[in-house]
Amino acid sequence: RKTYIYRLRFRCIAYESNAKSTEGQTNLHPICNAGPHLLRRLNDNNTVWLSQWPLDKEKLRQACEPFVGRHNFCNFVHKAERKVGNSRPSLVRRRERYQQSTSKDADDENDDDKFVMDLFEFNLHLQPEEEQDETLPPIINATFSLKAKGFHRSQVRNLVGFVVDVARGERSLDDAKALLGESDNMDDENSLPTVNSAPASGLCLDNVEYEHDDFL
């Protein structure tokens, strides 16, 4: 089993008090639009993704939950790998497999798909930075931890990129079900939401576990 971690630094989304736009909507706090340069630290060494958007930390945590367990992660794999051998199942086929897997008479037919796998954990640890200006929205250091027997090309980065899109309001939790082929409202594969990949800078292989200790 492999465990990857991904590091992200972001500012929590916050709104100005008693300030509304001309459309009657509450305005973001000005610091939220200041850009990622204010998040940079001297010892980063290109090992963390500095988010250019303010994020909702609760949505960030909630967005990780739907992916834990056995799912078809086809839409979270690099497109070049999906095209190899035309192994990507159709949207209708994936929906049928999902319905079979949730029925009482389910068998292991869906286990044969190349991109069906168990994601054992998709955890998120949030650590506020120390010595912050309490008058400003806080800066958070987030560490994602993902564990599986193995991952496909770009899979971890795509999963992190998606949950960040949820946390910044560009995607919803229902989109996760659609991308996993587990939504009853899927009619057109071309209408699936786009998955944006997180940059490579925050990704790191953290641990490898072997099933057997005695190799000799």
Side-chain angles (χ1 to χ4, degrees):
R1 298 183 179 185
K2 294 182 178 180
T3 301
Y4 280 88
I5 60 174
Y6 192 98
R7 297 185 177 91
L8 167 73
R9 185 176 301 135
F10 65 94
R11 191 179 293 276
C12 287
I13 193 167
Y15 299 91
E16 290 186 282
S17 58
N18 302 323
K20 292 187 176 182
S21 65
T22 55
E23 292 80 11
Q25 298 179 346
T26 305
N27 290 327
L28 278 174
H29 192 288
I31 195 68
C32 292
N33 294 319
H37 63 281
L38 295 180
L39 305 178
R40 193 175 304 280
R41 302 294 177 263
L42 183 63
N43 59 345
D44 283 344
N45 294 325
N46 202 33
T47 58
V48 59
W49 179 17
L50 307 178
S51 174
Q52 64 190 85
W53 314 282
L55 305 179
D56 185 322
K57 62 181 182 180
E58 294 304 321
K59 288 184 178 180
L60 196 68
R61 191 184 301 278
Q62 293 170 4
C64 298
E65 297 174 359
F67 298 104
V68 178
R70 190 169 190 81
H71 304 285
N72 189 321
F73 290 93
C74 173
N75 287 305
F76 295 92
V77 177
H78 193 282
K79 61 182 180 180
E81 184 174 347
R82 293 201 302 258
K83 293 179 180 178
V84 174
N86 294 321
S87 57
R88 185 182 186 186
S90 68
L91 185 65
V92 174
R93 180 59 175 160
R94 282 186 283 129
R95 178 166 55 187
E96 290 175 350
R97 288 179 173 180
Y98 170 66
Q99 292 172 345
Q100 290 172 357
S101 68
T102 55
S103 68
K104 293 182 179 180
D105 300 326
D107 52 28
D108 292 332
E109 179 184 359
N110 62 331
D111 290 354
D112 295 333
D113 192 272
K114 179 179 179 180
F115 301 110
V116 173
M117 55 173 280
D118 291 301
L119 184 60
F120 300 120
E121 66 179 46
F122 191 174
N123 297 330
L124 173 63
H125 176 69
L126 300 174
Q127 179 65 45
E129 287 211 325
E130 300 179 356
E131 300 180 1
Q132 297 193 57
D133 186 342
E134 296 182 357
T135 63
L136 298 176
I139 297 174
I140 305 293
N141 288 298
T143 302
F144 297 92
S145 176
L146 297 87
K147 179 187 287 188
K149 285 188 175 180
F151 292 91
H152 293 279
R153 180 179 175 185
S154 299
Q155 184 178 350
V156 174
R157 290 168 55 194
N158 286 341
L159 287 168
V160 173
F162 177 81
V163 300
V164 167
D165 280 347
V166 172
R168 69 187 184 100
E170 293 295 313
R171 295 287 178 264
S172 69
L173 294 178
D174 290 336
D175 290 333
K177 293 182 178 180
L179 288 164
L180 292 172
E182 300 172 0
S183 173
D184 294 330
N185 299 320
M186 299 183 301
D187 297 318
D188 182 9
E189 188 167 9
N190 295 324
S191 65
L192 288 174
T194 302
V195 176
N196 296 312
S197 184
S201 56
L203 182 63
C204 178
L205 176 61
D206 183 57
N207 187 41
V208 178
E209 301 175 19
Y210 297 95
E211 294 184 358
H212 305 285
D213 294 332
D214 50 337
F215 292 98
L216 300 179

